[in-house]
Amino acid sequence: MEKSIVLTEQEKTLRQLLLDTSNYISTIKGCTKPELRFTGGWVRDKLLGLSSKDIDVSISTMTGFRFGTLMKEYLAQPDTKSKYSQDVLGGLAKIEANPEKSKHLETVTTKILGLEIDLVNLRKETYAEDSRNPTMEFGTPEDDAVRRDATVNALFYNLNTSEVEDFTGQGLDDMQLKIIRTPLPPYQTFKDDPLRVLRCIRFASRLGFKIDCEAEQSMNDWEIKDALRIKISRERVGIEITKMLKGPYPYEALCLIDRLGLYNIVFTNPLDHTFKLADTGPWKQAYNQLLEILNFDREDATPIKFLQIINSTLIRDAQELHLAWLLGALVPWAKAAPSPRKTSYSKPSSPVAAVVAREGIKIENKVLKIIEGAVLHLQEVKDAVAAQSASSTSPLKRKLETSSREAQGMAIRRWGSHWRSNVMFALLVQASETQNDAGKFNKDKKVSTFLTVTERRGLLKSYAAWLAQLKSLDLLDVVSLKPLVDGKQLLEAVSPNNGPWMQRALAIAMEWQLRNPNETDPHLGIAEVLERRVELERLGLGC
């Protein structure tokens, strides 16, 4: 690992602009010349050879807002305009105080040459017992370094000397050792701001570092867990979890959450004090299975055909990859019974997994709909896969008729555009089931046991075979199949009076279309609907 930093051309220009502003402040404005440093994650990433577009700039003698205002003033000088390009001048015209942080820190955010810049003063922080929002006062570089969540995030790059500064005395060593360690004793660090627990997990998983043993012990302390549950807003928890699951190594993040006993602190409903704990015993089987599916083509192993089919069919892009990890994180809540309706007129309660996602980690509504669908369609997906591999005389196969293109196509259209995520969720749930869950009671043991390697392989092969069948039937994109027969045509051909019958009539027409994929004449579909008029009359047709 390098201990020096090589700046890009954009970073060189930014550095010079900041130094010029510092000189302007001291010579023209008569103020003490600020010492300027790039801090935190940018320094860490540059030392690791990673690119970074986010730069925090620490200022020794004034707030970020004051420095940003003076920098804008400096750039308005006639001599300055000819020195810097419009890319710099245009970006700084948009300097604004950060409303989220300015109450405590008076930071300023701006964008210059494609770089996201935060300007903030060096500070010392004091925490109240019941809040993670600190009382701030101006501090030294040492004060600013030790208040940070990890030593590797407490490294500074001095703009005057172009040197990396390690005021904790441990940051550079911990970078070399690949360790996440807190600058101050970890118990106090986490008690002051419990969100640092999740931040340390995120950095460890993202960077491939290990968390210091003493820090792990403090993370596992129930006082720290209670502080994380009570003091931290769920929006902040959700931001950290989302960054973990969208990061390069979400598997490692879930492993740490599981091993440190944090699952029921993070994935919970904080609004319900009677909310039960999830059984996380089998959860490891789910996220291990997802990792195996994703790593089917790793260099040290021969690609496995059935894993390749599952991977290529269910995970086509970054969004489906993120949904796979998110749904994998919610597997312990897959079968939890939802709250009963308050009255017979109340709408059905949301699945518990969706409630946890909404209240525990503040997932956005459009993703909540996907989670709800995955839970609600869970049994239907499992039955469809099971029927595909069942014998031709199986009652389940006869009942579901999943050998027909029509039935499978209608099912997938019912599951919706995110049906692949529904299937992945069902697979991960089944991979985490015990033998008792799978209907195989172990008479020799009083406790449930996980599926054997052979049983899990059989499960994966059944999913792969079913997905291959869908592909052979040209059903993978059936959700986007345009109906040949629409409601307007049915009103003209069947009845001018709309009603409950219409939904079933459209379904009959689509079933016909799926049975006859080469037909293009909508009149044949309408004829199918007319032949089943009696069925529609039971739904009010003709009344």
Side-chain angles (χ1 to χ4, degrees):
M1 183 197 72
E2 296 291 335
K3 292 188 179 181
S4 60
I5 288 177
V6 178
L7 302 181
T8 65
E9 290 303 315
Q10 292 93 335
E11 291 164 347
K12 289 178 183 177
T13 301
L14 174 63
R15 172 180 174 272
Q16 191 58 54
L17 168 62
L18 294 169
L19 291 175
D20 288 349
T21 301
S22 180
N23 288 331
Y24 171 79
I25 290 171
S26 64
T27 57
I28 305 300
K29 305 302 291 186
C31 301
T32 302
K33 185 176 182 178
E35 291 181 357
L36 303 174
R37 295 172 172 86
F38 292 162
T39 66
W42 179 88
V43 182
R44 178 200 66 222
D45 288 348
K46 293 290 283 190
L47 289 172
L48 290 171
L50 304 173
S51 62
S52 179
K53 296 294 185 181
D54 297 325
I55 304 181
D56 293 345
V57 181
S58 71
I59 305 150
S60 62
T61 59
M62 61 182 63
T63 66
F65 183 73
R66 175 65 174 156
F67 185 88
T69 302
L70 291 171
M71 181 162 58
K72 192 173 180 180
E73 180 182 305
Y74 164 67
L75 283 171
Q77 305 300 309
D79 293 343
T80 307
K81 288 183 178 181
S82 60
K83 186 175 181 179
Y84 292 99
S85 68
Q86 188 58 41
D87 289 340
V88 174
L89 300 173
L92 284 171
K94 300 177 182 177
I95 280 185
E96 295 179 354
N98 186 325
E100 177 66 24
K101 296 182 178 180
S102 60
K103 293 179 290 184
H104 300 290
L105 311 176
E106 286 198 317
T107 68
V108 159
T109 60
T110 188
K111 189 170 185 176
I112 306 173
L113 299 170
L115 302 171
E116 300 286 345
I117 311 300
D118 271 1
L119 303 173
V120 61
N121 60 279
L122 290 171
R123 60 195 188 268
K124 181 178 181 180
E125 297 175 343
T126 305
Y127 286 85
E129 183 69 22
D130 60 346
S131 174
R132 67 173 290 266
N133 291 324
T135 300
M136 184 273 290
E137 57 186 286
F138 282 90
T140 65
E142 291 83 356
D143 292 330
D144 198 88
V146 299
R147 71 173 181 82
R148 295 174 181 266
D149 44 29
T151 57
V152 298
N153 294 337
L155 297 169
F156 296 168
Y157 175 79
N158 190 306
L159 270 60
N160 287 98
T161 65
S162 298
E163 293 179 347
V164 175
E165 298 172 326
D166 183 4
F167 290 102
T168 70
Q170 296 178 295
L172 289 171
D173 288 341
D174 288 342
M175 288 281 288
Q176 194 73 39
L177 296 170
K178 297 186 176 182
I179 289 178
I180 298 295
R181 188 195 318 272
T182 58
L184 297 175
Y187 180 88
Q188 190 59 50
T189 297
F190 298 141
K191 193 71 182 295
D192 285 343
D193 184 358
L195 187 65
R196 289 170 176 161
V197 170
L198 298 182
R199 286 176 57 82
C200 285
I201 289 174
R202 174 162 64 86
F203 291 126
S205 63
R206 179 195 161 199
L207 300 172
F209 285 16
K210 291 185 177 181
I211 297 177
D212 171 62
C213 291
E214 187 179 354
E216 278 204 9
Q217 290 174 359
S218 295
M219 289 177 170
N220 216 0
D221 188 293
W222 271 107
E223 288 190 13
I224 299 300
K225 292 178 180 179
D226 281 343
L228 176 58
R229 180 175 55 83
I230 295 168
K231 289 176 65 173
I232 306 303
S233 74
R234 285 290 146 173
E235 287 78 9
R236 295 300 303 162
V237 171
I239 288 171
E240 290 300 321
I241 294 299
T242 297
K243 286 181 178 179
M244 290 179 203
L245 298 182
K246 287 187 174 181
Y249 303 110
Y251 173 80
E252 283 75 7
L254 296 185
C255 284
L256 284 167
I257 289 172
D258 192 10
R259 181 159 57 82
L260 295 171
L262 292 168
Y263 186 88
N264 283 295
I265 302 297
V266 173
F267 297 99
T268 186
N269 179 7
L271 303 180
D272 185 354
H273 298 297
T274 64
F275 203 68
K276 295 182 179 179
L277 301 180
D279 177 11
T280 58
W283 182 39
K284 185 175 183 178
Q285 311 302 316
Y287 58 77
N288 278 349
Q289 186 58 77
L290 179 53
L291 182 68
E292 182 186 25
I293 291 170
L294 296 175
N295 289 346
F296 77 93
D297 60 348
R298 67 183 190 272
E299 293 182 0
D300 61 339
T302 303
I304 301 175
K305 182 67 175 178
F306 57 84
L307 292 178
Q308 183 179 11
I309 291 172
I310 294 170
N311 183 310
S312 61
T313 307
L314 300 185
I315 303 179
R316 301 168 301 167
D317 53 35
Q319 182 191 29
E320 287 179 345
L321 177 61
H322 169 59
L323 286 172
W325 283 113
L326 175 59
L327 290 167
L330 295 169
V331 161
W333 294 112
K335 299 180 182 179
S339 302
R341 298 188 190 190
K342 294 181 180 180
T343 69
S344 58
Y345 301 102
S346 303
K347 66 179 182 179
S349 299
S350 297
V352 175
V355 173
V356 167
R358 183 182 69 231
E359 305 299 343
I361 54 176
K362 295 298 181 181
I363 292 297
E364 59 186 330
N365 286 335
K366 66 180 182 180
V367 179
L368 284 176
K369 295 295 184 183
I370 299 171
I371 296 170
E372 289 179 354
V375 177
L376 294 175
H377 298 138
L378 173 59
Q379 191 58 49
E380 196 174 352
V381 173
K382 291 169 65 175
D383 288 345
V385 175
Q388 187 278 333
S389 60
S391 67
S392 60
T393 59
S394 164
L396 179 60
K397 191 156 193 170
R398 291 200 305 270
K399 177 181 177 183
L400 295 176
E401 299 181 324
T402 53
S403 60
S404 74
R405 187 174 191 274
E406 166 197 336
Q408 295 197 78
M410 292 301 289
I412 292 173
R413 287 177 67 86
R414 188 164 54 251
W415 300 339
S417 59
H418 293 284
W419 71 269
R420 289 174 170 83
S421 295
N422 292 3
V423 174
M424 178 60 79
F425 183 64
L427 191 162
L428 298 179
V429 170
Q430 285 194 268
S432 67
E433 286 180 339
T434 63
Q435 290 182 334
N436 286 1
D437 292 328
K440 298 178 180 180
F441 182 69
N442 190 335
K443 296 180 181 180
D444 299 326
K445 297 182 180 180
K446 294 182 180 180
V447 296
S448 298
T449 56
F450 300 126
L451 301 181
T452 65
V453 172
T454 301
E455 288 168 336
R456 282 197 303 107
R457 283 289 180 269
L459 175 69
L460 293 167
K461 287 179 179 179
S462 67
Y463 270 84
W466 178 65
L467 292 171
Q469 183 188 57
L470 294 182
K471 182 178 181 179
S472 70
L473 293 172
D474 194 23
L475 289 176
L476 295 181
D477 296 314
V478 70
V479 173
S480 59
L481 178 64
K482 183 179 180 179
L484 283 175
V485 179
D486 59 28
K488 182 179 179 180
Q489 292 168 313
L490 290 175
L491 288 173
E492 292 176 354
V494 181
S495 170
N497 299 317
N498 204 339
W501 64 271
M502 176 60 77
Q503 184 176 0
R504 180 57 190 145
L506 288 170
I508 291 172
M510 178 53 68
E511 290 167 357
W512 168 85
Q513 186 174 339
L514 289 168
R515 288 196 305 273
N516 302 276
N518 296 321
E519 293 289 354
T520 58
D521 185 356
H523 293 96
L524 297 176
I526 293 172
E528 174 76 10
V529 174
L530 292 172
E531 284 183 13
R532 297 169 65 173
R533 186 181 183 91
V534 173
E535 182 180 339
L536 300 179
E537 287 174 350
R538 300 193 193 103
L539 296 173
L541 177 65
C543 295

